[in-house]
Amino acid sequence: MAAEHAITVTERLTPADLDRAAELLRAGALVAFPTETVYGLGADATNEAAVAAIFAAKARPRFNPLIIHVIDEAMARRLVIFDGRAAALAQHFWPGPLTLVLPRAPGCPIPLLASAGLDSLAVRVPGHPLPRALIRAVGRPIAAPSANRSGRVSPTTAEHVLDELDGRIAAVLDGGPCRVGVESTVIDLTGPLAALLRPGGVAAEAIEETIGPLDRAPASEGAPRSPGLLASHYAPALPVRLEARTVHPGEALLAFGPRAPRGAKQVRWLSRKGDLAEAAVNLFAALRALDRPDFTAIAVMPIPEHGLGLAINDRLRRAAVRSA
Ligand code: TXA
Ligand code: MG
């Protein structure tokens, strides 16, 4: 049901726009929308054909499961089985940038395709008012991966979405730039030890304060438990050089903190004050902006490995892996 060009609905959204988007989703079409983390590519999660259309539009491998977006914990509990840890995390961090992987509930209405055949399911309650209004209007859970082509950098503006998906989606709701800038933190609660599958918008430290120590290994392993965490991901066309303390000839520089080395053909600051939350907001837009043939590579200054720095460094390490 993709239109020739996606309908763009701008920031000043009317109730009629929302109804229209909800109608498209109920009819099985794909609608992109902002969340507090990144833009998502939404489809009715209970409609198998619509879910299949997400994989097709993104050219996403079918082994990579989707996150199901719900309005609240009660709606999540109709899809997955909660335990005490899940309840505590939901209480603390929902609505917000946290995704929980839990066992499917009996009679779960989400097709297996959405979870790539797994008997677990990833659920999240978004914090942004727009997807919340949309889920309410549709009255069904919405499956939504990031609204980029598979393997590319996640979109943090409606324009980024159209750059990669125009012609493949029915509409995009434009809510301006995303507030967090990196995707949700994904926590696997299907085993006895809660595992950090993907660092993201909620700091791992904050999660550990709530439910105790996390198994942090999955997020850094070569063969991850989260099928989506392929080593080469978020891939700009240019090589990405990490931990750069000097600039090589021809390079563009992604800078962090007040002092940047000289000599870059162009500099983009993630945060001049060295603020990790600000750096997260700017990360994906900066990678897109510097990914131009005018440069030989993107050099990236060191980013501290704590708080949101975990998510930023995770995305940068994946961006630095060259695909075969
Ligand atoms: O912030 C976000 O999470 C955004 C917005 C749109 O909500 N969504 C997002 O979705 O980043 P996506 O599809 O780009 O990433 C989903 C991640 C993947 O790494 C996937 O492998 C993992 O969640 N995942 C989903 N279901 C899973 C499951 N059942 N078991 C393990 N990992 C799962
Ligand atoms: Mg993604």
Side-chain angles (χ1 to χ4, degrees):
M1 286 199 69
E4 187 108 314
H5 290 289
I7 306 158
T8 310
V9 179
T10 52
E11 232 163 308
R12 246 168 275 143
L13 213 71
T14 66
D17 294 328
L18 207 68
D19 285 347
R20 179 95 190 280
E23 225 169 84
L24 285 167
L25 284 167
R26 273 196 299 265
L30 303 182
V31 175
F33 53 79
T35 79
E36 72 277 33
T37 58
V38 300
Y39 275 69
L41 176 58
D44 174 357
T46 63
N47 176 336
E48 183 155 22
V51 170
I54 289 181
F55 286 92
K58 286 185 55 114
R60 180 179 178 110
R62 293 258 183 145
F63 59 76
N64 190 0
L66 306 177
I67 296 174
I68 310 303
H69 296 66
V70 292
I71 194 68
D72 56 17
E73 184 180 329
M75 194 173 188
R77 282 177 182 269
R78 292 201 280 275
L79 310 181
V80 290
I81 301 170
F82 267 58
D83 61 11
R85 302 169 301 178
L89 290 174
Q91 170 78 30
H92 268 80
F93 300 108
W94 280 355
L98 175 68
T99 294
L100 301 178
V101 175
L102 291 162
R104 278 171 176 265
C108 173
I110 310 298
L112 272 171
L113 175 63
S115 58
L118 298 169
D119 49 18
S120 60
L121 200 64
V123 290
R124 133 166 155 85
V125 175
H128 194 294
L130 215 157
R132 300 184 60 73
L134 199 58
I135 298 166
R136 242 185 251 288
V138 175
R140 297 174 199 158
I142 294 179
S146 50
N148 50 278
R149 300 263 186 127
S150 184
R152 314 301 302 187
V153 173
S154 292
T156 51
T157 67
E159 198 187 345
H160 295 164
V161 175
L162 291 175
D163 285 348
E164 290 184 14
L165 295 177
D166 194 12
R168 296 171 170 234
I169 61 178
V172 57
L173 303 178
D174 185 346
C178 298
R179 181 172 57 77
V180 177
V182 292
E183 302 87 340
S184 61
T185 304
V186 182
I187 303 290
D188 183 358
L189 295 175
T190 59
L193 183 56
L196 176 66
L197 295 186
R198 178 177 75 180
V202 174
E205 294 92 330
I207 290 168
E208 291 183 326
E209 274 170 33
T210 310
I211 58 164
L214 289 171
D215 175 7
R216 292 185 179 219
S220 53
E221 274 168 5
R225 288 233 289 278
S226 196
L229 298 183
L230 306 173
S232 172
H233 211 78
Y234 305 99
L238 284 184
V240 172
R241 189 168 66 81
L242 302 179
E243 304 287 328
R245 289 179 172 81
T246 58
V247 173
H248 299 169
E251 281 182 337
L253 179 69
L254 199 51
F256 181 83
R259 275 175 299 278
R262 290 172 182 281
K265 286 188 83 176
Q266 192 180 327
V267 183
R268 284 281 292 233
W269 254 275
L270 288 175
S271 169
R272 276 182 198 267
K273 339 183 259 243
D275 179 83
L276 288 168
E278 183 182 33
V281 168
N282 293 328
L283 176 66
F284 290 141
L287 279 175
R288 279 173 193 266
L290 294 181
D291 192 18
R292 297 212 318 261
D294 321 61
F295 313 125
T296 52
I298 303 171
V300 186
M301 290 176 67
I303 314 285
E305 183 75 359
H306 59 78
L308 281 177
L310 256 66
I312 296 169
N313 283 323
D314 170 80
R315 307 308 185 267
L316 286 169
R317 279 192 290 269
R318 291 177 208 287
V321 174
R322 310 301 298 161
S323 45

